[in-house]
Structure formats: structure tokens, C-alpha cells
Amino acid sequence: GPSYRAIKINMSDIKEVDIRFKMGDFNASNPGVRGTFTLVTGPASANQVWAELQGRYGEDYSSKPVVVLGSDDAESLKTFLENFDGFCVDTEEEKAKFLEDKANLLKPTFKRVGDEVVISREEPIAELEPFIGGFQDVLDGNCSFEFTLECNKTPAQMHAEKNNIIYGMHNGYQGRVDLKLSLAFLERAFDMGTQFAPVPEPELAKSMLNFFKKYSLNFETYDVTSLPQELRDVFKHPMFEQLNPFTPEIVGALKEKVLPVLQQFEALSSVSGPLRVYYPIKDTLAIKLEMNAVDWFNQFVALLSE
């Protein structure tokens, strides 16, 4: 593998980016949809996530993806997922291919712990380890990323209104992006990048980092309810209506192709609480995703069953 020079870090070599945004008539007290994606690095932060998973679910999940579903009927959900042998709309050949991939590539594991079903993998994802190993010494806690998005309307409200995408975007949302970068990480990324493409300027990493310093951006836009009616009507323009996922043609096609699959996955309607996804690599990094995605499934079924 490539050799890397040792890098000493002082605090001026670490920069942060903070972005906040808010739009429309956002009501923060009860967001209809909420999701957070987090990446932490360094032994302390990564091993905290790894240890929490091991403590809660009794297994070593290092370098394995972990999906956690809370359920009102966890045993039935686990049984359904374990026995899933392909989509009902698939041909026999496609089902055979799925079972082959399930056994040889996916290698999923299913475990019930109380009211939760934990989906993971028999073996670590070995293919990623050499790539991430090339960054291990610079992923020392000085790099992190977090993205949060909250939307005002619940899936049920969006479904009831059947608005086009542009109009729907004005229903209120807010979010934040927090990024921390070290010069050591940027230099390593550029070092590795030069194996595929030349970096024009060796000082590029430094200048990029200096651009951030402590970069903050905060923007809030109007409350959609305060707009004049004529402006609100613009979002209903025929040009935008083409961006409507609720047109009879689209819904008709989904009914034919997707509804049978959703009905096959009826066991998912027992899922409650947030969807949680983890990917910890011991001593190195951990990825976490949490979102309250449950209601989307039930609303999608309701829409296509109308």
C-alpha cells in the first residue's frame, strides 16, 4: 500500500462549517418527519457507538451494517424477514437469483431483542476495510459530519393535500449541517486522490481549510402563509403540476407494480418508533442514521389502496 508521512496537528489545522436553514411555516414543536445522519471519527467516538450496540444486542458489530426496527409484533416481523424469498412480482429466475445473492453476498442475520428486530450481516464488509484503513491514523476525532432535516407536515397531511413537489416544499422545514475537518484528513484525501488523478496544487488542502476557518451560514426565508394568494397560486401552475407524484397516471402505474409488493410487506406495518441504521468500525469511525420513517409505509399503502 501507499506510505504516508506522519502529520502533527495543531488546533489551527482544524476547521468547522456550520449551516442552519429554515423555510416556510415551520412549527418546531412537532415535526412530521425528522432524520439525522451522523459520522463520527476517532477511537473514543467510534467505540462508544460500537460498545452501545454490543451492550444492547450482545454482539460484536464492528464493520457490519446494523438496521434496528422497533415493532408491535417483533416476532412476526423477524419471521417474515427471515423467510423472505423474493418479490411477488419477480419471475422464478429472478427469485432464484435473489436467494443465491442472499446466501452468498448479503448473508443477512435477523435477531429479536425485546420489541426490536436487529438486521445485520454474518461477516464484516471486508471490501471496505483496506480503503478506510488508509485513513485510520487521520480519523482521530477531528473530523465529523452531522446533517439533520425536519419537515412540518406528516406523511398523512401530505397525502391528504396531494400537492406537487414544489408546493409541498413550502410547507415548512428546517435543517442543519455541521462539518469538522482537519488538514491531516484533507491532505490524506488528496494524497489518495493523486493515485487516480493529479492534484494541481499541493497547497490546495491548506487553502481549502483556510476558506472554512469557522464558517457559519444561517438563512431563514418567509412563512408561506404570509405570501399573497397570487404568489401561492404560482406553485399550482400547470408547469409545476407535472412534478406531482399524485397524478392518476403515476398512481395507476404504482398500483399495478408496487401495491402487490407493499401488500407482501404487510408485516412492516407493525414497525413503530424511528428507523435506526448503524455502521461502526472499531477504533476508526461510526455512521448513524435515525429517521421516523414508519408512517411513510402505511400512508403509501393507503394512497395506492384508495
Side-chain angles (χ1 to χ4, degrees):
S3 61
Y4 300 113
R5 60 189 178 279
I7 297 166
K8 263 173 66 180
I9 291 188
N10 60 55
M11 282 312 288
S12 66
D13 287 342
I14 301 162
K15 305 296 179 208
E16 294 179 47
V17 179
D18 296 326
I19 297 171
R20 306 279 178 272
F21 55 91
K22 188 173 179 179
M23 185 168 187
D25 55 338
F26 188 79
N27 163 22
S29 61
N30 185 25
V33 182
R34 180 190 163 86
T36 300
F37 174 89
T38 312
L39 166 69
V40 293
T41 66
S45 299
N47 292 352
Q48 185 181 351
V49 176
W50 169 79
E52 277 173 14
L53 289 171
Q54 187 166 29
R56 204 180 304 158
Y57 306 120
E59 281 183 47
D60 179 355
Y61 288 110
S62 185
S63 289
K64 296 179 183 179
V66 182
V67 179
V68 181
L69 298 169
S71 173
D72 301 330
D73 189 354
E75 195 56 42
S76 299
L77 180 62
K78 174 177 171 277
T79 303
F80 166 76
L81 293 169
E82 270 177 330
N83 298 327
F84 182 72
D85 60 358
F87 298 100
C88 56
V89 291
D90 284 353
T91 63
E92 288 309 311
E93 294 82 41
E94 286 169 327
K95 284 189 177 176
K97 175 83 171 75
F98 171 79
L99 287 174
E100 188 186 322
D101 289 346
K102 185 176 176 180
N104 300 322
L105 286 174
L106 300 171
K107 300 182 180 174
T109 61
F110 304 96
K111 179 174 186 172
R112 181 188 160 193
V113 180
D115 291 336
E116 294 178 323
V117 177
V118 185
I119 307 162
S120 187
R121 195 171 189 267
E122 285 171 25
E123 301 164 8
I125 303 180
E127 296 80 0
L128 282 174
E129 285 174 359
F131 175 72
I132 290 167
F135 285 97
Q136 184 161 11
D137 60 318
V138 294
L139 292 174
D140 51 5
N142 292 315
C143 296
S144 60
F145 176 74
E146 183 166 318
F147 173 66
T148 297
L149 182 65
E150 298 175 302
C151 302
N152 218 27
K153 298 278 170 92
T154 63
Q157 286 170 307
M158 292 180 189
H159 171 179
E161 292 169 7
K162 293 185 174 53
N163 283 322
N164 66 57
I165 291 165
I166 298 289
Y167 194 91
M169 280 170 62
H170 294 263
N171 283 334
Y173 59 88
Q174 72 174 8
R176 55 189 290 170
V177 178
D178 296 298
L179 170 68
K180 198 159 88 165
L181 273 178
S182 72
L183 181 60
F185 172 78
L186 266 182
E187 286 184 339
R188 176 64 47 79
F190 285 174
D191 276 351
M192 293 186 89
T194 52
Q195 296 168 42
F196 312 103
V199 174
E201 260 306 317
E203 287 294 299
L204 189 55
K206 194 90 180 165
S207 59
M208 274 182 71
L209 206 66
N210 285 335
F211 168 73
F212 290 132
K213 296 289 186 206
K214 165 78 172 144
Y215 181 79
S216 290
L217 182 65
N218 193 354
F219 59 92
E220 284 195 33
T221 59
Y222 57 82
D223 172 343
V224 72
T225 52
S226 67
L227 286 178
Q229 190 62 45
E230 307 87 84
L231 268 178
R232 277 193 262 175
D233 288 345
V234 169
F235 302 126
K236 296 283 196 183
H237 189 279
M239 185 174 76
F240 294 135
E241 276 303 311
Q242 294 171 358
L243 299 170
N244 195 334
F246 298 104
T247 62
E249 298 78 23
I250 293 174
V251 173
L254 291 173
K255 261 187 180 154
E256 187 185 333
K257 301 212 167 46
V258 179
L259 185 59
V261 175
L262 291 175
Q263 287 167 336
Q264 182 187 4
F265 278 83
E266 192 187 352
L268 287 182
S269 64
S270 75
V271 172
S272 57
L275 166 72
R276 302 201 306 278
V277 180
Y278 304 89
Y279 183 64
I281 300 179
K282 201 173 173 210
D283 297 330
T284 309
L285 61 82
I287 291 169
K288 295 190 284 185
L289 172 68
E290 183 167 314
M291 58 187 295
N292 61 338
V294 179
D295 195 30
W296 289 99
F297 177 82
N298 296 330
Q299 287 304 319
F300 203 23
V301 174
L303 169 70
L304 297 183
S305 305
E306 280 176 0

